[in-house]
Amino acid sequence: MAALPTGEVLKPADAEQLGEALRWAVAETRPLEVVGGGTKRQLGRPVQSAALLDLSALSKIENYEPEELVLSARAATPLAEIEAALAARDQMLAFEPADYGRLYATANDCANGSRATLGGALACNLSGPRRIKAGAARDHLLGFKAVSGRAETFKAGGRVVKNVTGYDLCKLLAGSYGTLAAMSEVTIKVLPAPERTRTVLLFGLDDAAAIGALGAAVASPHEVSGAAHLPVPAARRSAVAYVSGAGAAVTAVRVEGFGPSVLARCAALRAQLGHLGAIEELHSKHSLTLWQEVRDATLLGAGAEGAAPRPLWRLSVPPSEGPAVAARLQAETEAEALFDWAGGLVWLAVAPSADAAHEAVRASVAAAGGHATLIRAAPEVRATVPVFQPQPPALAALSARIKANFDPAGVLNPGRMYAGV
Amino acid sequence: MRMPLPDQAVIAQRTELVAALREIVAADDVIADEAALRAYECDALSAYRQLPFLVVLPRDTGEVSRVLKLCGARGVKVVPRGAGTGLSGGALPLADAVTLALGKFNRILEIDYANRCVVTQPGVANLAISQAVDAAGFYYAPDPSSQIACSIGGNVAENAGGVHCLKYGLTTNNLLGLEMVLMDGEVVRFGGKQFDSEGYDLLGLTTGSEGLLGVITEVTVRILPKPSSVCALLLGFASNEAAGACVAEIIGAGIIPAGLEMMDRPAIHATEDYCHPGYPLDAEAILICELDGPEVEVDHLVARVRDFAEGCGATSVRVSQSEEERLRYWLGRKSAFPAAARIAPDYYVMDGTIPRARMPEVLNRIAALAREYDLLVANVFHAGDGNLHPLIMYDANNPGELERTEEMGSKILKYCVEVGGVLTGEHGVGVEKRDLMGEMFNEDDLNQQQRVKCAFDPAQLLNPGKMFPTLHRCAELGRMHVHRGQAAFPHLPRF
């Protein structure tokens, strides 16, 4: 993990102290870097802060009602703790939160287990492969308590799924990277865990054929809950022998649910896709491993040992455009790709450089529609290259007005997303 | 209903404004005569009426932009309107506001099967989207009961739900992109055909914003492959408690049905009289449980749900044997509103959401209130997600009866909040629940919401008088209360 800033560290023990921390920051005009478990500090533009607001003490499952499919927890409760509590009642976070921590971590960090928090996953709106079926992190945030950059404590949403009372500030806070308010407590929707998971694998398809096959699978009535394509180099890095040993590109379609239904749907998918070539099926444990690798984007690799890690881009595009976006980029620069969300999520690792090939990436996305985020790059690169997709002027102005209304003094993660926001 | 005082300076410039608007849109697209304006005086919450100042029917985004810019520059308020089927008075006109009706935005622009989405203008009816993609095996999941008539733009503005949102989500969970015009005429786009928007999630923020943040001019929705089979169970119970226990068993077993609806005795009898769906008349409560998916899954789950129902003492269990039978089960549920209309001259639909487990006690409380207020109430209920729709029947011609109905309704909603629920699950706050917002939110909560309004519409010209009980000026909301040097912040742990 990067060294802590030399400034002060504020570590509130409860929501009241969190309010006090913000009152101090506003009164003294001291910008804060907001941190939960600290696993994603390298995600976003480097924050120019005077102090660290460490929320890690706000950690406790407050209220879990399995029969209501709802859970409230203090914002910095570790994801691992939440997931264990849910698993004990055969439930899960259906949005399958990604843990990008591994992309930045040293071997030592990994050995200690992830400290990624629920609040962090929600604040960055990190959703895994199941996004295509179950929705994004933002779709599961039902309510929160937070302190704004005005040092005012406020709440929004509730503890029920169906709620249209007032503006949906949950959506606004999810994906705001801590730039609008520091959440102290969140309430989320949880769902039953599937009884069974299986993955149908296709081998040797090129990118375009693979995305075509995945499109057909998600357009079928077989309720596909994961649709990824691993070109040869990515497939080779998998810990699942069926995948790494295939010697070919691997295209994966996941099916989850009640036992008899999973078996029937797998059979139907094999029949539907069988004409495309060799086919295989992964059962529970291997299937879980593969989808975790896809979820956390760990299959692209950091690059040569001892060299700077390869910059990593995350592109969100219309699914059918995925292969063309990757091909355009690969024609211009050395880039390795991985596809999730049936082509709608493209991961690209590019050769290390001062600008992380950002012009080529932006041009490629602009042609397709969508946006690109520079998930991993050296701090000096992230300070000069836009990390998030630059916005048209009207949208940028609107975002800036929202920021100004939540955090007029600019004390919460200033500049994390955009300069001035 | 207390509304913002009409601005006499605006009313005085009516003739001038009509002329200026007719330079932007075709002359016929500005409605200024009283008889024609009458058609727009209310939405489906017809207890509240107000003749609009003017109605404008724009035909494209450019016209919307120029109309808003003109109104913005002249300080004229604007009330956006879709199909007028809303149940919370969100499209209630104002005496000094232009009602901007999007009915001419009635074309589906693009059907993109490769990306499983449809790009449409906002005036297209909800059901028309599903019909357009039906032959290809797709549908649009959210299905509010007014889906034949309600517009997709209105669905977005209200974040509409429906019986299938238990499994497939509300409008907000099925949207990919929006084009919106702000009050200053600026056109912005949120999202697109990709799965998430960049920057702040303004797509999510504006969905359900009830026409207070901008005017929707284009919508991109996800479409889903139709399930390969569907089956419904019709379950009768001797008490609300037994039906509630069965709901808890189903959800507790990890089953998320496509729909899970409950009706109480008055609702069963009203709908049976109205359209004869064949409901068990000996039951105190019925559940309709719909399961969809591969045939083998549906068969498996039907058997399990049947077991749960029998374990909870169901007095009757029927499993639909044909599509015709399944639709008949739904016919009664979907006819609950017109059935109520036949019993009483007027009815008032409530929309609170409660934690599922509190359902029996909330129904008992509603029954007690009905006795106290001497009003007939029928309950239809999205039991799977705790969204309650009591229908209070009344006669507006009896002096004081509307007021009694409103008072009883607000007591029901306050009770929903008291047991951990919310004021509205899918109909919106509008004018109807505006003055109850304080039951759920304190002043700081509401101020922060209004600051969102200030970022979009600082002069507060777009749909004022809706959603917020008190309107603060944006300058006042923007002020920071800083207590410089006040404090050593003694309780703050530092390292």
Side-chain angles (χ1 to χ4, degrees):
Chain A
M1 192 169 123
L4 293 178
T6 50
E8 273 181 289
V9 176
L10 308 178
K11 191 172 178 180
D14 54 30
E16 198 172 315
Q17 289 188 357
L18 175 61
E20 192 161 343
L22 265 301
R23 280 194 293 281
W24 171 81
V26 169
E28 307 288 325
T29 329
R30 305 269 278 174
L32 303 172
E33 181 187 352
V34 187
V35 169
T39 58
K40 292 184 280 289
R41 292 184 67 198
Q42 294 176 65
L43 175 51
R45 300 174 78 243
V47 174
Q48 298 299 314
S49 67
L52 196 75
L53 179 59
D54 175 354
L55 302 181
S56 61
L58 303 180
S59 174
K60 188 186 176 200
I61 295 176
E62 292 281 1
N63 189 357
Y64 172 30
E65 294 176 88
E67 65 286 356
E68 297 288 343
L69 305 177
V70 62
L71 178 147
S72 297
R74 294 189 191 173
T77 309
L79 272 175
E81 184 181 335
I82 304 270
E83 286 175 333
L86 294 173
R89 301 298 302 262
D90 294 323
Q91 294 188 341
M92 65 171 181
L93 297 172
F95 61 95
E96 212 175 0
D99 183 0
Y100 294 168
R102 289 163 214 261
L103 298 175
Y104 315 116
T106 62
N108 194 23
D109 291 333
C110 291
N112 294 330
S114 176
R115 287 171 295 115
T117 66
L118 178 61
L122 292 165
C124 303
N125 190 29
L126 299 184
S127 322
R130 210 182 282 111
R131 164 68 183 97
I132 56 171
K133 176 161 181 278
R138 51 90 102 170
D139 295 299
H140 294 79
L141 179 59
L142 300 180
F144 65 82
K145 290 179 190 159
V147 182
S148 72
R150 300 173 164 273
E152 286 176 5
T153 299
F154 70 105
K155 66 175 180 300
R159 281 184 65 75
V160 292
V161 172
K162 250 179 136 179
N163 178 13
V164 294
T165 320
Y167 296 131
D168 193 348
L169 298 188
C170 293
K171 299 286 185 299
L172 181 62
L173 267 278
S176 65
Y177 285 80
T179 61
L180 298 176
M183 293 188 283
S184 59
E185 189 179 317
V186 294
T187 297
I188 50 168
K189 168 185 168 181
V190 299
L191 281 172
E195 238 173 56
R196 181 169 274 193
T197 299
R198 283 204 177 176
T199 299
V200 174
L201 300 180
L202 295 161
F203 298 99
L205 300 183
D206 66 30
D207 296 350
I211 299 309
L214 293 175
V218 298
S220 78
H222 306 312
E223 301 193 0
V224 167
S225 73
H229 174 63
L230 287 53
V232 177
R236 237 181 234 143
R237 292 190 194 95
S238 175
V240 179
Y242 283 112
V243 176
S244 54
V250 176
T251 307
V253 179
R254 181 173 63 182
V255 175
E256 299 174 304
F258 296 98
S261 170
V262 168
L263 299 184
R265 283 181 283 149
C266 276
L269 281 164
R270 292 176 71 138
Q272 185 185 341
L273 303 172
H275 68 280
L276 293 169
I279 216 157
E280 185 57 75
E281 229 173 81
L282 285 185
H283 293 194
S284 306
K285 185 166 162 283
H286 294 313
S287 179
L288 290 177
T289 305
L290 173 65
W291 290 103
Q292 186 172 327
E293 292 170 338
V294 171
R295 184 193 76 184
D296 298 341
T298 50
L299 290 176
L300 283 177
E305 196 83 22
R310 291 192 294 175
L312 192 60
W313 287 91
R314 181 183 179 279
L315 279 56
S316 185
V317 295
S320 67
E321 297 285 343
V325 167
R328 261 197 301 273
L329 201 65
Q330 283 163 334
E332 285 186 36
T333 180
E334 187 191 322
E336 193 192 319
L338 174 76
F339 302 87
D340 195 4
W341 298 354
L345 180 62
V346 184
W347 288 96
L348 284 164
V350 298
S353 69
D355 70 349
H358 93 100
E359 280 176 12
V361 172
R362 303 286 181 208
S364 182
V365 168
H371 57 94
T373 309
L374 181 54
I375 294 291
R376 180 180 62 203
E380 56 277 16
V381 177
R382 285 179 288 121
T384 51
V385 169
V387 169
F388 294 88
Q389 185 77 13
Q391 297 185 309
L395 205 51
L398 184 55
S399 299
R401 291 199 297 274
I402 290 171
K403 168 74 172 177
N405 273 292
F406 277 77
D407 180 21
V411 295
L412 287 169
N413 275 351
R416 182 83 183 250
M417 297 181 79
Y418 303 99
V421 171
Chain B
M1 183 54 60
R2 177 179 49 82
M3 295 304 285
L5 281 181
D7 183 339
Q8 294 306 325
V10 167
I11 289 174
Q13 52 168 309
R14 191 170 192 265
T15 312
E16 218 181 308
L17 191 63
V18 168
L21 287 166
R22 284 186 170 145
E23 283 180 23
I24 298 172
V25 301
D28 288 351
D29 293 342
V30 179
I31 299 175
D33 79 281
E34 190 179 327
L37 286 174
R38 198 56 74 188
Y40 296 88
E41 68 179 357
C42 66
D43 57 18
L45 181 66
S46 56
Y48 305 124
R49 288 166 196 268
Q50 166 65 50
L51 196 69
F53 179 48
L54 294 168
V55 171
V56 177
L57 310 169
R59 289 168 190 267
D60 60 37
T61 302
E63 289 187 357
V64 172
S65 169
R66 291 194 291 281
V67 168
L68 289 181
K69 196 167 183 174
L70 173 77
C71 291
R74 286 172 172 256
V76 177
K77 296 170 191 135
V78 173
V79 176
R81 179 185 173 100
T85 58
L87 288 162
S88 57
L92 180 69
L94 298 171
D96 59 345
V98 168
T99 288
L100 196 64
L102 279 292
K104 291 185 192 284
F105 280 69
N106 56 3
R107 282 184 307 121
I108 289 178
L109 300 173
E110 186 193 354
I111 297 175
D112 181 349
Y113 291 118
N115 290 304
R116 277 86 54 198
C117 64
V118 170
V119 183
T120 176
Q121 292 189 323
V124 168
N126 169 297
L127 187 62
I129 297 173
S130 288
Q131 286 168 341
V133 298
D134 180 72
F138 287 89
Y139 75 114
Y140 172 64
D143 58 343
S145 58
S146 56
Q147 71 180 143
I148 299 171
C150 63
S151 69
I152 188 67
N155 288 179
V156 175
E158 300 292 332
N159 190 14
V163 297
H164 286 104
C165 57
L166 174 61
K167 182 168 175 183
Y168 296 104
L170 294 131
T171 304
T172 190
N173 312 112
N174 289 278
L175 280 186
L176 292 174
L178 283 183
E179 179 188 78
M180 178 176 261
V181 187
L182 305 183
M183 194 58 218
D184 61 4
E186 193 79 63
V187 180
V188 288
R189 298 187 74 90
F190 310 139
K193 291 180 177 176
Q194 67 276 16
F195 280 107
D196 53 8
S197 13
E198 83 286 358
Y200 294 144
D201 184 0
L202 304 183
L203 174 66
L205 177 63
T206 50
T207 303
S209 62
E210 303 195 11
L212 271 75
L213 300 183
V215 176
I216 296 156
T217 47
E218 189 190 293
V219 182
T220 304
V221 299
R222 288 186 79 184
I223 49 172
L224 301 179
K226 285 192 285 186
S228 45
S229 67
V230 189
C231 182
L233 292 96
L234 179 64
L235 310 168
F237 295 90
S239 68
N240 291 332
E241 283 78 3
C246 185
V247 170
E249 292 272 351
I250 294 169
I251 303 286
I255 300 169
I256 305 290
L260 185 53
E261 297 290 306
M262 182 171 153
M263 297 168 69
D264 71 356
R265 187 177 188 86
I268 296 166
H269 284 258
T271 53
E272 188 60 35
D273 289 349
Y274 177 73
C275 59
H276 323 296
Y279 290 160
L281 294 176
D282 60 331
E284 279 301 312
I286 58 167
L287 291 178
I288 303 171
C289 179
E290 181 156 295
L291 299 155
D292 68 9
E295 204 173 333
V296 53
E297 174 169 327
V298 171
D299 290 348
H300 172 74
L301 295 181
V302 163
R304 294 186 65 184
V305 170
R306 177 197 281 273
D307 285 348
F308 291 135
E310 282 163 359
C312 293
T315 50
S316 61
V317 176
R318 297 221 305 267
V319 179
S320 67
Q321 300 300 318
S322 65
E323 185 63 3
E324 185 274 327
E325 185 175 1
R326 182 183 75 85
L327 292 175
R328 192 147 35 81
Y329 296 171
W330 282 112
L331 177 67
R333 168 64 186 86
K334 294 203 170 186
S335 307
F337 295 2
R342 243 180 43 149
I343 295 180
D346 302 284
Y347 66 92
Y348 191 54
V349 190
M350 315 299 303
D351 176 43
T353 305
I354 56 170
R356 267 180 295 270
R358 309 297 290 269
M359 190 259 295
E361 73 178 272
V362 172
L363 289 181
N364 288 339
R365 173 77 182 145
I366 292 171
L369 283 167
R371 284 191 298 274
E372 183 187 332
Y373 282 85
D374 192 22
L375 291 163
L376 186 61
V377 180
N379 285 291
V380 292
F381 188 15
H382 302 300
D385 44 31
N387 187 200
L388 193 63
H389 293 314
L391 299 163
I392 309 176
M393 283 162 254
Y394 70 102
D395 183 350
N397 290 323
N398 293 342
E401 204 157 304
L402 170 63
E403 290 71 20
R404 244 168 59 229
T405 302
E406 288 177 317
E407 191 178 312
M408 178 180 158
S410 72
K411 283 196 178 171
I412 293 175
L413 293 182
K414 285 178 190 176
Y415 196 68
C416 288
V417 174
E418 209 177 302
V419 300
V422 300
L423 295 173
T424 172
E426 55 183 359
H427 295 170
V429 176
V431 292
E432 186 205 12
K433 283 151 286 209
R434 181 190 70 188
D435 296 335
L436 293 173
M437 287 287 271
E439 297 291 323
M440 248 180 88
F441 297 116
N442 67 27
E443 176 117 16
D444 284 343
D445 304 336
L446 289 173
N447 284 349
Q448 197 52 54
Q449 296 215 18
Q450 289 199 47
R451 289 190 189 106
V452 170
K453 169 75 168 168
C454 294
F456 281 79
D457 172 26
Q460 307 197 51
L461 292 172
L462 205 49
N463 218 6
K466 318 288 170 70
M467 200 188 284
F468 298 109
T470 325
L471 280 182
H472 297 291
R473 288 179 180 284
C474 286
E476 182 191 328
L477 287 166
R479 221 168 278 143
M480 281 271 270
H481 304 281
V482 180
H483 310 284
R484 241 174 256 287
Q486 150 220 38
F489 298 96
H491 306 300
L492 188 59
R494 305 186 196 199
F495 299 89

